[in-house]
Amino acid sequence: MATTDDGYLRFFPYDEPYDHQREAMGTIYEALGEGRDVLFEGACGTGKTLASLVPALEHARETGKTVVITTNVHQQMRQFVADARAITEQERLRAVVFRGKGSMCHIDVDYEECQALRDTTRDLVDVEGDIADLEQREGELLEEGQSGDTQAMEARSAVVDELRNLQDERDEIREERSVCDHYYRNLTVDTDAFYAWLYDDVRTPDDVYEYAHEQGMCGYELLKEGMDGVDLVVCNYHHLLDPTIREQFFRWLGRDPEDVVAVFDEAHNVESAARDHARRTLTENTLAQALEELEGVEDPRVEAATNVLETFRDALVETYEDSFGFGDREAVDDHWEDVTIANPDRRDDLTLAFLQGYSGPGFHAELDDAVDLGRELDEQYVEQFKDGELDTRKECQTLQAATFLADWLAESDDAGQYPVVSVRRDESTDEVYGRAELYTCIPEQVTRSLFDDLHAAVLMSATLRPFDVTEDVVGLSDPVTMAYGAQFPEERRRTYAVDGPALFASQRDDPQTQRTIARTLEDVVRFTPGNTLVFCPSYSEAERYHDMVAVSGTRYLDEPGKQARDLRAAFTRGDDGVLFTSLWGTLAEGVSYDGDDARTVVVVGVPYPHLDDRMDAVQDAYATAFGDGEDDAGWRYAVEIPTVRKTRQALGRVVRSPEDFGARILLDKRYTEAAEMEMHDYAVRGAFPPEERREMVDIDPEKLKFAMLNFYQDMSAYDGAPPKP
């Protein structure tokens, strides 16, 4: 442990922090003391996690707060556990690693069903506790009565009557209602041994699950109960970004939001994660189930609910049917495909179809009736499940459909919300059906309230710059910003900007463009003393060059929808392979390729995301919110900067330690310095941080192999004679 006047270093688990790490700790510690948020960019090797966590833990210890560190990358979750264990070996802290119920349930029920089981089980335990209390009281009164106290005997008679009633209630719950045996043991056995074990080290959710399973207990509920007032919680993004889960999460912590310091890792992903958590959908199937549900209900509000939901269902069908041209219906497959319904000068097509199709006393009043009826039905289903009348906790489709429709009518015309209809084919029935969706364009609408409520947040990533854009899109106010570039020796890495074809979408099928890229990739693989990673703009482009490139080593292809873990393991076991994947896949970030795992990484083209109506809506929303008169603000915020961040993340997959070495290759002339003059509107070099631009070496495709040969020879990387150019 370091010896210093900086008290927070008691949480630093190693001998001494790096100079830049110590500087970052001091900056973060001061910011937290002022209640200010922090944007912290640090390249691999910066030690971002400990630089953020150490001062946060010290501030929390001094002020009675809890630190929550969160990520959406599984590998980082494991690293957090390792860091927390190292910290607690020298400075005791109570830490909990939290995971969702779905992966920790011992009886495999969903959240609503679990909640109902939990309530019934608690009712049973409460009744049994009352029985135990009355049995004790009955015994005391019996002794008093046997001593001649007639009033005691009368009181005992009343207690016995109440006792019998409670025993009947207990028997009825056991025989006719559903309870959870695992949760029952949580409530009825001594759990001190579990919590002593839990806090003795930093336990993973798998550890907790196994311990609880052996004891016949519910590990998820034990973990929830054990979070109250802990020093540190490690969790996934959704525990903070989902508003409903967040409210419960803080309650489990026993903390108000202002008593929480949040540390977000891979924080460049907060924008897209928040957008995903904010989206709301309603399928045609759910509407049909709601209408079927209403057919079996006797209530005066059924007619109103049926009318308003049936009208919306018919409008949804009409909207997507009207969008089909010749052959479009037959071309629909099992993937959701968007149908454009937004209009620049009036409400969207679905809302217009609903308003035109509606007839009745007023859809607002009928919709209110539908929502109220849905809530009552939902409460009935809960009670029926608790009472054993239903084997599973039934979902109220009427409530889901009515609340979505209420949101749709209220928000689909709001700035920052994009109304969408999508269609897909049901493989089991071969029928086409639709879905309505409210898509949130600006995540700041979701995240600003979170960051306003927290005491402070530290957002860290290797790719957060430009900070002003991050500040805008997630809704931070006057954060402290700091950036640290690559900390490893510059002479052990090279970044080449290859003046090859500009891989515009219109040029991807050009044979000459394909041949130039394929031949350049062949040179790269041949002159790499080890494995090569190739990131392409899409999976289809990855497949194209996987098939075109002829090399002696093993070629690997990452395909969409397939588990990449085994592929990565096979790739890293070898030493002369090339792995082709999409930059927008799972292998471009949060995955380290240390040492011989990969020596060279190539980004082919400028891999912009698929530009569709949703992306156009996001661009328009950003331009309106943050444009300040800039014509290209929407493009910059929504497309260019996220793409450059993904590219920088991909380049960071290699050279992961001071001893490591490797080459990073940007294969497209738009990365070159010359492009800034020759094709300024398309050049992207200027979107990289200045220190990264300075390292870029512009080079012609045919000269790249010579540069790589010289670099890897300087690293003494070739076993035996190097390849001949």
Side-chain angles (χ1 to χ4, degrees):
M1 180 176 177
T3 56
T4 174
D5 293 335
D6 298 325
Y8 48 77
L9 286 178
R10 60 177 164 159
F11 291 104
F12 190 78
Y14 306 114
D15 289 338
E16 285 284 345
Y18 303 125
D19 289 343
H20 65 271
Q21 203 174 25
R22 185 190 296 273
E23 180 181 76
M25 289 179 191
T27 301
I28 292 172
Y29 181 72
E30 290 180 8
L32 296 180
E34 298 170 357
R36 295 180 67 188
D37 300 318
V38 178
L39 292 175
F40 176 18
E41 179 176 297
C44 177
T46 306
K48 296 185 293 295
T49 300
L50 286 176
S52 301
L53 192 54
V54 165
L57 287 170
E58 177 65 21
H59 178 77
R61 180 69 59 86
E62 293 173 349
T63 57
K65 301 186 190 319
T66 291
V67 177
V68 176
I69 186 166
T70 180
T71 184
N72 66 337
V73 178
H74 291 302
Q75 181 168 311
Q76 287 303 106
M77 189 80 77
R78 292 191 290 271
Q79 183 59 49
F80 292 164
V81 172
D83 288 338
R85 282 175 173 164
I87 290 170
T88 197
E89 285 179 3
Q90 71 172 34
E91 182 67 30
R92 299 301 300 173
L93 55 82
R94 294 195 307 159
V96 167
V97 185
F98 196 70
R99 194 165 65 191
K101 193 201 79 67
S103 61
M104 293 191 69
C105 183
H106 302 267
I107 57 175
D108 195 24
V109 297
D110 62 25
Y111 180 80
E112 288 77 13
E113 191 169 341
C114 173
Q115 186 176 30
L117 284 170
R118 191 169 62 245
D119 292 344
T120 306
T121 305
R122 193 179 293 111
D123 289 344
L124 174 60
V125 172
D126 289 343
V127 170
E128 289 179 339
D130 292 341
I131 289 173
D133 292 341
L134 286 177
E135 285 176 338
Q136 180 179 347
R137 181 57 179 158
E138 186 268 338
E140 294 170 351
L141 291 171
L142 178 61
E143 288 183 9
E144 294 174 14
Q146 289 173 342
S147 301
D149 188 338
T150 56
Q151 289 184 339
M153 291 303 290
E154 291 175 2
R156 175 180 177 273
S157 177
V159 168
V160 168
D161 289 342
E162 186 177 356
L163 186 57
R164 286 172 180 163
N165 291 335
L166 286 174
Q167 289 169 339
D168 289 343
E169 183 179 350
R170 175 199 60 195
D171 295 342
E172 183 266 335
I173 294 175
R174 285 178 170 174
E175 295 170 8
E176 300 182 17
R177 298 171 68 181
S178 302
V179 299
C180 175
D181 292 334
H182 290 80
Y183 186 53
Y184 180 84
R185 283 187 58 79
N186 285 20
L187 299 176
T188 56
V189 303
D190 187 350
T191 57
D192 288 349
F194 167 79
Y195 290 113
W197 168 84
L198 179 69
Y199 300 134
D200 187 54
D201 198 351
V202 180
R203 311 293 184 180
T204 68
D206 289 337
D207 295 335
V208 172
Y209 179 92
E210 292 172 7
Y211 183 105
H213 192 71
E214 290 175 0
Q215 302 297 320
M217 303 169 78
C218 175
Y220 178 74
E221 292 296 329
L222 286 170
L223 204 52
K224 277 171 49 179
E225 295 294 328
M227 289 172 59
D228 192 355
V230 296
D231 301 302
L232 173 67
V233 179
V234 180
C235 66
N236 192 280
Y237 272 1
H238 67 260
H239 292 105
L240 292 181
L241 294 182
D242 185 295
T244 302
I245 297 176
R246 178 166 74 235
E247 183 179 348
Q248 297 172 333
F249 184 70
F250 289 143
R251 187 166 62 248
W252 299 335
L253 281 177
R255 300 288 194 196
D256 292 327
E258 59 264 29
D259 291 322
V260 172
V261 175
V263 179
F264 285 83
D265 184 52
E266 303 293 348
H268 61 281
N269 288 323
V270 168
E271 174 186 1
S272 59
R275 188 177 287 124
D276 288 343
H277 281 92
R279 64 194 294 265
R280 287 158 288 173
T281 62
L282 177 66
T283 68
E284 182 183 338
N285 291 347
T286 299
L287 282 162
Q289 291 165 3
L291 293 168
E292 182 180 352
E293 179 180 56
L294 289 169
E295 289 177 0
V297 176
E298 293 184 7
D299 187 284
R301 295 166 292 184
V302 166
E303 183 178 356
T306 299
N307 184 43
V308 73
L309 294 182
E310 194 169 57
T311 302
F312 191 70
R313 191 272 312 273
D314 293 346
L316 175 61
V317 174
E318 176 188 332
T319 300
Y320 70 71
E321 289 288 356
D322 286 351
S323 75
F324 289 146
F326 179 76
D328 287 346
R329 167 179 273 278
E330 291 71 24
V332 175
D333 59 20
D334 61 343
H335 298 92
W336 287 110
E337 181 177 344
D338 287 353
V339 173
T340 302
I341 64 170
N343 297 302
D345 55 354
R346 62 188 188 279
R347 294 296 294 265
D348 62 89
D349 292 344
L350 175 54
T351 302
L352 292 174
F354 170 79
L355 296 175
Q356 291 167 359
Y358 176 81
S359 63
F363 63 82
H364 287 300
E366 291 199 326
L367 187 53
D368 288 343
D369 283 344
V371 172
D372 290 341
L373 178 57
R375 287 173 178 156
E376 290 184 18
L377 290 174
D378 194 57
E379 291 172 0
Q380 289 178 22
Y381 297 153
V382 172
E383 292 304 316
Q384 288 171 347
F385 177 69
K386 290 180 180 179
D387 292 341
E389 298 175 33
L390 296 174
D391 292 333
T392 59
R393 167 43 166 104
K394 187 177 179 180
E395 292 288 331
C396 182
Q397 307 302 321
T398 299
L399 181 60
Q400 290 190 35
T403 53
F404 176 88
L405 178 53
D407 290 343
W408 179 277
L409 294 174
E411 301 177 29
S412 60
D413 201 35
D414 289 353
Q417 293 290 338
Y418 181 62
V420 187
V421 165
S422 306
V423 292
R424 65 174 293 191
R425 188 176 300 278
D426 187 330
E427 289 185 310
S428 62
T429 64
D430 201 39
E431 293 293 326
V432 172
Y433 67 103
R435 178 185 71 182
E437 176 182 349
L438 281 172
Y439 182 71
T440 299
C441 296
I442 304 180
E444 178 261 351
Q445 297 172 340
V446 178
T447 55
R448 178 175 291 277
S449 62
L450 168 64
F451 293 124
D452 285 347
D453 290 344
L454 293 169
H455 170 72
V458 180
L459 283 72
M460 61 179 183
S461 168
T463 56
L464 274 184
R465 286 180 285 177
F467 289 133
D468 62 325
V469 173
T470 302
E471 182 178 344
D472 284 343
V473 299
V474 301
L476 297 177
S477 300
D478 190 31
V480 174
T481 62
M482 55 183 173
Y484 295 90
Q487 302 299 309
F488 305 143
E490 185 175 341
E491 63 271 15
R492 300 184 70 81
R493 63 180 181 270
R494 290 290 185 275
T495 305
Y496 299 108
V498 180
D499 192 13
L503 197 61
F504 295 111
S506 60
Q507 298 297 312
R508 290 177 186 173
D509 292 327
D510 178 69
Q512 182 58 44
T513 295
Q514 293 175 11
R515 281 194 296 271
T516 300
I517 292 173
R519 299 296 85 79
T520 304
L521 289 175
E522 288 172 356
D523 287 344
V524 169
V525 174
R526 184 168 170 237
F527 284 86
T528 294
N531 289 332
T532 303
L533 279 166
V534 178
F535 292 101
C536 297
S538 65
Y539 283 109
S540 60
E541 289 295 294
E543 183 177 11
R544 183 202 302 276
Y545 290 106
H546 168 271
D547 295 342
M548 287 187 66
V549 169
V551 293
S552 59
T554 306
R555 290 173 301 157
Y556 300 88
L557 177 63
D558 181 24
E559 300 177 84
K562 293 188 177 180
Q563 176 58 254
R565 184 182 305 168
D566 294 340
L567 178 71
R568 179 188 180 280
F571 170 67
T572 56
R573 280 196 298 269
D575 60 4
D576 65 346
V578 52
L579 171 59
F580 295 84
T581 185
S582 166
L583 187 85
W584 300 95
T586 60
L587 298 176
E589 60 178 277
V591 181
S592 295
Y593 295 85
D594 302 326
D596 294 333
D597 288 351
R599 282 290 171 215
T600 300
V601 59
V602 187
V603 175
V604 177
V606 180
Y608 292 125
H610 177 59
L611 301 180
D612 54 15
D613 289 340
R614 290 184 190 233
M615 187 57 68
D616 288 343
V618 172
Q619 290 187 61
D620 291 343
Y622 278 153
T624 300
F626 310 121
D628 292 331
E630 296 180 33
D631 293 337
D632 63 344
W635 169 266
R636 180 170 176 260
Y637 273 63
V639 181
E640 183 181 71
I641 289 171
T643 298
V644 169
R645 283 175 175 160
K646 291 290 287 186
T647 302
R648 295 174 63 207
Q649 285 283 334
L651 295 182
R653 295 313 92 202
V654 299
V655 190
R656 307 289 295 181
S657 72
E659 297 76 27
D660 206 353
F661 59 90
R664 295 93 62 88
I665 298 170
L666 297 163
L667 182 44
D668 191 298
K669 67 170 57 180
R670 286 172 287 180
Y671 293 108
T672 64
E673 189 172 18
E676 296 289 335
M677 297 295 295
E678 297 171 4
M679 47 191 312
H680 178 74
D681 289 345
Y682 303 102
V684 295
R685 191 185 188 114
F688 287 76
E691 72 276 9
E692 294 179 18
R693 295 199 299 269
R694 285 194 294 269
E695 287 193 29
M696 293 180 185
V697 178
D698 290 0
I699 195 165
D700 293 332
E702 61 273 12
K703 295 181 180 178
L704 177 62
K705 59 186 175 182
F706 298 100
M708 292 181 64
L709 175 64
N710 291 335
F711 169 67
Y712 281 124
Q713 280 186 315
D714 289 343
M715 295 295 103
S716 302
Y718 296 111
D719 292 331
K724 294 182 179 179

